[in-house]
Amino acid sequence: MFIDEIHVTFYADIAAAILSLGVYVLCSRGIIKDAFLGGVFRLLLIMDCFLAVVDAATYARKYHEFPGAYPIALGLQTLLELVLNFIIFLWLVYVNYKVYHSRDSIKRKLIKNMIPLFILMAIDIINVFTGILFYYDEHVMYHTTWFTIPYYLIRYFYFFSCVIQISVHKRKGRDLKFFEIWAFIIPVLAGGLITNLTAYSTTALGFAVALFNVYAGIINEQSFMDSRTGFFNRYYLRYLRNDVDDEGFAPKSGMICRLEDPEDMTAFSELLSPLLPKKCEVVRFDEETVIMLAEISKKAAMQMMSEDVEAAVEKYNSENSGRPLSVTIDTVFKKKKETCKGFYDMFIRRIG
């Protein structure tokens, strides 16, 4: 029985290490455009690979008694807990940056709010000298104390807090539509449950599968992105139509921007991006056309945004008289008796 437990755990940890390193190599090819976000994600993959190594060593030691096993056992278990807490910290940094796109938000909000998690890491170190969390007896057998209950409650609270954060943000905007939080949570939860309820350890494998799912979401999103503008490409309209049919997106107004010279698309996209409302969809329809659909029902709000775009173009032209932008902007609104699906179809037909 012990041999089977060792084999299954080793295979799970080897699979976790291979999967993590494989995704790391793929991510090193510039798949994630944001340097900070890419760095955090790659560090998560490296830490999961390290977790697999530590987990395998910790598990192997359980079935091999030898002189000096006590400090090794204590050191490995302490390192395992530290790595798990650090992975949770990195994951929350990743989520926070995905939501706010700001390093300042991490410094101002996340670091301060995660003080209890840092205390858990300090407890891991203190435990080496006190045994308040876990300890090993004279036979080098692992034991836990009652203090593990609040310890793990705090850890799981932080781990699952990202679900609330992502859910709230998705109600406000549509920039995380390809970021499926449960695709991360479920494998990690399954790996933890198997580890705690059986004789096998699959924690590292759970994290590896979860991070692979996040990577798959990144690739899915990249397939719909226009590399020149950062907006969605025309293929995204198929996805968007399904979203409209499922009532996940209810367009009530739209804007059509046509450039005289397609070479000006990059400059125009840089002007347009900061002026866009939060809950909207922007697509580069063709070489010279950008369209925007929004859930804005008030004509005044859409017309104001149109005027802001025109003002930004005028300012750009005054500063770049040698190569001015020539843009025509049309705004379209849903009629009272018109359905969102009908408006969407009419809007697409109007583009031509």
Side-chain angles (χ1 to χ4, degrees):
M1 181 62 181
F2 289 165
I3 298 298
D4 291 339
E5 293 173 7
I6 294 174
H7 284 171
V8 171
T9 298
F10 272 22
Y11 292 150
D13 285 330
I14 291 171
I18 292 174
L19 184 56
S20 296
L21 289 176
V23 176
Y24 179 89
V25 171
L26 294 173
C27 287
S28 298
R29 298 177 180 178
I31 296 297
I32 303 177
K33 304 302 181 183
D34 189 290
F36 180 77
L37 198 66
V40 173
F41 189 70
R42 289 192 295 272
L43 185 55
L44 271 166
L45 292 164
I46 290 297
M47 292 308 300
D48 186 59
C49 184
F50 183 56
L51 176 66
V53 173
V54 176
D55 184 63
T58 302
Y59 213 79
R61 205 282 324 148
K62 291 181 180 180
Y63 302 104
H64 295 83
E65 291 190 20
F66 50 86
Y70 179 83
I72 294 176
L74 187 60
L76 286 173
Q77 190 66 44
T78 301
L79 187 58
L80 188 67
E81 300 296 338
L82 283 169
V83 172
L84 280 170
N85 286 328
F86 187 61
I87 287 177
I88 293 174
F89 168 73
L90 286 176
W91 171 246
L92 293 177
V93 169
Y94 182 85
V95 170
N96 190 85
Y97 191 81
K98 286 283 287 186
V99 170
Y100 298 108
H101 306 286
S102 171
R103 298 188 193 185
D104 289 336
S105 69
I106 296 173
K107 295 176 182 177
R108 287 186 286 103
K109 298 178 181 179
L110 187 66
I111 302 298
K112 180 177 65 176
N113 294 335
M114 289 179 62
I115 290 176
L117 187 61
F118 298 145
I119 293 175
L120 293 188
M121 296 184 187
I123 290 174
D124 292 332
I125 303 298
I126 294 172
N127 179 80
V128 174
F129 307 100
T130 62
I132 61 172
L133 188 62
F134 62 83
Y135 62 93
Y136 285 86
D137 59 22
E138 63 274 12
H139 301 292
V140 201
M141 297 298 293
Y142 177 75
H143 300 278
T144 60
T145 68
W146 65 268
F147 195 68
T148 55
I149 297 175
Y151 178 93
Y152 285 122
L153 284 176
I154 295 173
R155 175 187 280 179
Y156 290 136
F157 168 79
Y158 277 104
F159 179 69
F160 285 104
S161 65
C162 60
V163 177
I164 300 173
Q165 188 176 15
I166 294 297
S167 299
V168 170
H169 184 75
K170 281 191 173 185
R171 292 195 188 100
K172 297 178 180 179
R174 292 178 56 79
D175 56 316
L176 295 181
K177 62 181 71 65
F178 292 100
F179 187 73
E180 296 295 337
I181 188 64
W182 289 108
F184 180 86
I185 295 294
I186 291 175
V188 174
L189 186 61
L193 287 175
I194 292 173
T195 301
N196 291 322
L197 299 179
T198 70
Y200 313 114
S201 181
T202 57
T203 301
L205 182 59
F207 273 108
V209 173
L211 292 170
F212 174 80
N213 288 343
V214 174
Y215 171 76
I218 294 171
I219 294 299
N220 188 28
E221 183 175 16
Q222 289 292 328
S223 68
F224 291 114
M225 298 298 293
D226 176 63
S227 59
R228 189 171 181 182
T229 63
F231 299 146
F232 289 111
N233 57 36
R234 190 167 180 168
Y235 298 108
Y236 177 70
L237 292 173
R238 303 174 188 173
Y239 178 95
L240 185 59
R241 177 53 199 261
N242 292 333
D243 222 4
V244 174
D245 290 341
D246 296 337
E247 299 182 353
F249 180 61
K252 298 180 178 66
S253 58
M255 187 168 67
I256 304 170
C257 304
R258 298 185 190 274
L259 293 170
E260 186 176 299
D261 187 351
E263 293 299 319
D264 295 330
M265 183 60 74
T266 301
F268 177 69
S269 65
E270 292 174 355
L271 294 178
L272 182 62
S273 294
L275 302 175
L276 295 170
K278 289 184 177 181
K279 209 164 186 180
C280 73
E281 298 287 357
V282 187
V283 177
R284 185 183 183 185
F285 190 80
D286 55 33
E287 288 298 311
E288 67 276 346
T289 308
V290 173
I291 63 175
M292 189 274 289
L293 283 161
E295 295 183 332
I296 299 173
S297 58
K298 296 181 179 179
K299 291 186 178 182
M302 180 59 73
Q303 289 172 348
M304 186 178 297
M305 196 188 85
S306 176
E307 292 171 359
D308 289 341
V309 175
E310 292 173 350
V313 172
E314 290 179 5
K315 181 180 178 182
Y316 176 88
N317 289 341
S318 66
E319 297 173 351
N320 300 270
S321 56
R323 186 176 176 80
L325 295 176
S326 180
V327 187
T328 58
I329 301 173
D330 295 323
T331 53
V332 187
F333 301 93
K334 185 178 80 68
K335 298 176 181 178
K336 288 185 178 180
K337 294 183 179 180
E338 193 174 25
T339 64
C340 292
K341 296 178 185 178
F343 171 73
Y344 177 85
D345 292 336
M346 179 276 295
F347 183 80
I348 298 299
R349 287 196 302 269
R350 181 163 177 168
I351 300 169

